[in-house]
């Protein structure tokens, strides 16, 4: 059983028991995903916070490293989220990310006898992408090979089926991430008209939720961005949102119970309108200008939504409805069963094909 409760997928068991271990990686600004087959042929999916904390061993004085949820819970005052912008921005960030990734893969029994494919964001930041490559290349894994592919392509692969059908297709994908909204068309794996917006993001939704909670409670409740993200992930639902209550401890003792009715879905409603506007009037308009025939083919196929924001119940269908209205034509939108895990799963499938 994997860390997130995902069991094995038998479709690739025979391929994963000999030769280098294919590993799919998504190093995200908030969470990192690994997917691979273990020595027993069981598919493992590891999902953890992209953060670390160091401390001094009380007995030996040696530096010790914690990562993920344990680091965030035990050292909240000095935990480091080194990929907040989506990529390691400088040498210090790259070193922290390398330390985090090395601890993660070692803890999960992975070594150099592996083939690693990792998903990369659509960001015009060559130094950051080089730093990310360094993080993977200098880790204990990937002696057989290390390759990178666009995150939205990797995330689209599970949405198309059980193999690599997406690689042989012409389609468009939208990655609804924490730090960016990304969109690209793909023609047999070739990326066309890549688009990125830093204005429409999951992180911005979290900030708006925090502000909306303060407003809805008339200033009595202030929540941090971590709590806002938890509200979004646990309660947001475009199909059937229900108001919920929470309790905070007040200075000087006592507690205050409050109810949230509008503060989660109103920011998400605005986010979806903004995302549709960016996709319809910027990305698709540019794609049509650059590549008219692929544009027409892509709109005749389902548009794939990936990324953590695509996990919100009902958002795929609502995005489809609003985009159809904006374009004044019917479009279909799909996603993988777990859009947040899909980039690592797609990367793992690519790694398997490359190993073969």
């Amino acid at each position: 059983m994997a860390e997130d409760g995902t069991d094995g997928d038998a479709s690739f068991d025979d391929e994963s028991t000999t030769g280098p271990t294919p590993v799919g990686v998504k190093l995200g600004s908030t969470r990192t995903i690994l997917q691979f087959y273990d020595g027993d042929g069981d598919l493992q999916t590891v999902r953890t916070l992209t953060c670390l904390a160091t401390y001094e061993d009380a007995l030996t004085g040696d530096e010790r490293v914690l990562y993920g949820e344990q680091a965030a819970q035990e050292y909240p005052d000095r935990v480091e989220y080194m990929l907040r912008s989506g990529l390691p921005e400088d040498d210090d960030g790259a070193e922290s990310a390398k330390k985090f990734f090395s601890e993660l893969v070692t803890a999960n029994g992975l070594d150099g006898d592996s083939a690693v494919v990792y998903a990369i964001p659509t960001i015009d930041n060559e130094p950051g992408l080089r730093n990310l490559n360094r993080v993977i290349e200098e880790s204990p894994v990937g002696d057989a090979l290390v390759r990178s592919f666009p995150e939205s392509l990797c995330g689209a692969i599970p949405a198309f089926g059980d193999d690599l059908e997406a690689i042989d297709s012409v389609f468009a994908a939208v990655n609804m991430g924490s730090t960016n909204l990304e969109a690209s068309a793909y023609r047999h794996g070739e990326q066309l008209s890549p688009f990125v917006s830093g204005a429409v993001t999951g992180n911005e939704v979290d900030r708006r939720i925090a502000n909306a909670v303060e407003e809805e409670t008339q200033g009595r409740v202030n929540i941090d961005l971590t709590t806002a993200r938890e509200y979004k992930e646990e309660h947001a639902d475009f199909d059937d949102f229900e108001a919920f209550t929470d309790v905070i401890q007040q200075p000087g003792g006592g507690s205050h119970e409050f109810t949230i009715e509008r503060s989660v879905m109103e920011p998400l409603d605005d986010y979806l309108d903004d995302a549709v506007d960016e996709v319809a009037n910027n990305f698709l308009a540019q794609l049509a200008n650059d590549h008219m025939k692929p544009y027409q083919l892509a709109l005749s196929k389902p548009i794939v939504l990936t990324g953590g924001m695509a996990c919100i119940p009902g958002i795929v269908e609502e995005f489809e409805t609003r985009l159809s209205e904006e374009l004044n034509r019917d479009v279909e939108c799909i996603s993988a069963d777990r859009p947040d895990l899909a980039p690592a799963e797609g990367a793992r499938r690519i790694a398997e094909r490359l190993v073969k």
Side-chain angles (χ1 to χ4, degrees):
M1 182 72 71
E3 184 175 306
D4 74 335
T6 304
D7 285 316
D9 175 352
S11 61
F12 289 98
D13 283 353
D14 293 338
E15 300 173 14
S16 57
T17 55
T18 60
T21 301
V23 182
V25 177
K26 166 62 172 70
L27 268 167
S29 59
T30 302
R31 289 187 174 86
T32 289
I33 316 293
L34 300 179
Q35 193 172 93
F36 59 93
Y37 283 96
D38 63 19
D40 296 324
D42 294 325
L43 183 63
Q44 300 296 320
T45 301
V46 179
R47 181 176 184 263
T48 190
L49 290 174
T50 308
C51 64
L52 86 162
T54 60
Y55 67 97
E56 184 178 289
D57 189 294
L59 299 180
T60 66
D62 295 336
E63 182 185 72
R64 303 295 186 191
V65 178
L66 298 176
Y67 69 86
E69 283 73 9
Q70 184 181 11
Q73 292 168 3
E74 296 183 7
Y75 290 92
D77 55 327
R78 64 173 189 261
V79 67
E80 179 184 1
Y81 291 84
M82 73 294 295
L83 297 180
R84 279 303 196 194
S85 67
L87 291 169
E89 292 294 337
D90 52 28
D91 288 343
D92 289 342
E95 284 302 313
S96 294
K98 185 167 67 173
K99 188 179 297 184
F100 160 78
F101 187 66
S102 295
E103 290 287 331
L104 175 63
V105 296
T106 300
N108 284 280
L110 293 168
D111 57 26
D113 188 22
S114 53
V116 175
V117 171
Y118 64 100
I120 58 172
T122 302
I123 299 177
D124 185 17
N125 182 348
E126 286 301 322
L129 290 171
R130 283 197 299 270
N131 284 336
L132 182 60
N133 182 69
R134 199 176 98 207
V135 168
I136 307 294
E137 291 274 7
E138 297 179 7
S139 74
V141 295
D143 286 356
L145 68 86
V146 173
R147 292 280 302 277
S148 65
F149 290 86
E151 181 179 341
S152 54
L153 175 62
C154 294
I157 288 171
F160 271 86
D162 295 330
D163 200 354
L164 293 176
E165 181 185 343
I167 301 294
D168 297 320
S169 301
V170 178
F171 69 96
V174 178
N175 184 38
M176 308 171 85
S178 296
T179 56
N180 288 299
L181 177 75
E182 302 172 5
S184 293
Y186 292 96
R187 178 174 55 193
H188 300 281
E190 176 192 6
Q191 191 174 34
L192 303 176
S193 299
F195 167 83
V196 60
S197 170
V200 185
T201 70
N203 289 342
E204 179 60 26
V205 172
D206 299 341
R207 284 188 283 271
R208 291 181 181 182
I209 288 174
N211 292 335
V213 167
E214 181 179 6
E215 181 180 341
E216 185 172 354
T217 61
Q218 298 178 325
R220 292 190 294 272
V221 176
N222 291 279
I223 61 172
D224 58 22
L225 295 181
T226 298
T227 303
R229 186 179 69 243
E230 291 170 353
Y231 282 2
K232 177 183 69 181
E233 293 177 348
E234 295 172 11
H235 299 286
D237 191 329
F238 279 92
D239 291 329
D240 189 24
F241 173 78
E242 295 182 359
F244 62 95
T245 60
D246 202 354
V247 178
I248 59 169
Q249 299 301 312
Q250 295 185 318
S255 61
H256 173 65
E257 182 176 280
F258 58 96
T259 299
I260 297 300
E261 296 180 348
R262 306 184 307 275
S263 300
V264 170
M265 293 310 298
E266 287 184 359
L268 277 165
D269 194 57
D270 292 339
Y271 164 85
L272 202 54
D273 280 340
D274 292 341
V276 166
D277 180 64
E278 292 279 13
V279 170
N281 299 313
N282 290 319
F283 163 62
L284 288 175
Q286 187 61 48
L287 177 63
N289 186 63
D290 295 341
H291 307 280
M292 175 53 74
K293 193 60 179 178
Y295 163 81
Q296 293 170 336
L297 289 171
L299 285 188
S300 71
K301 304 281 185 66
I303 295 173
V304 182
L305 302 188
T306 68
M309 292 292 289
C311 294
I312 295 171
I315 196 169
V316 175
E317 294 79 10
E318 189 64 24
F319 186 90
E320 175 183 286
T321 299
R322 298 189 193 188
L323 184 60
S324 296
E325 293 173 353
E326 186 70 20
L327 296 175
N328 196 28
R329 61 175 291 173
D330 290 337
V331 296
E332 180 184 0
C333 295
I334 61 173
S335 69
D337 291 339
R338 288 290 302 271
D340 54 334
L341 307 182
E345 180 178 350
R348 188 260 304 167
R349 292 190 197 176
I350 294 173
E352 288 171 346
R353 180 66 60 85
L354 293 175
V355 166
K356 291 174 64 179

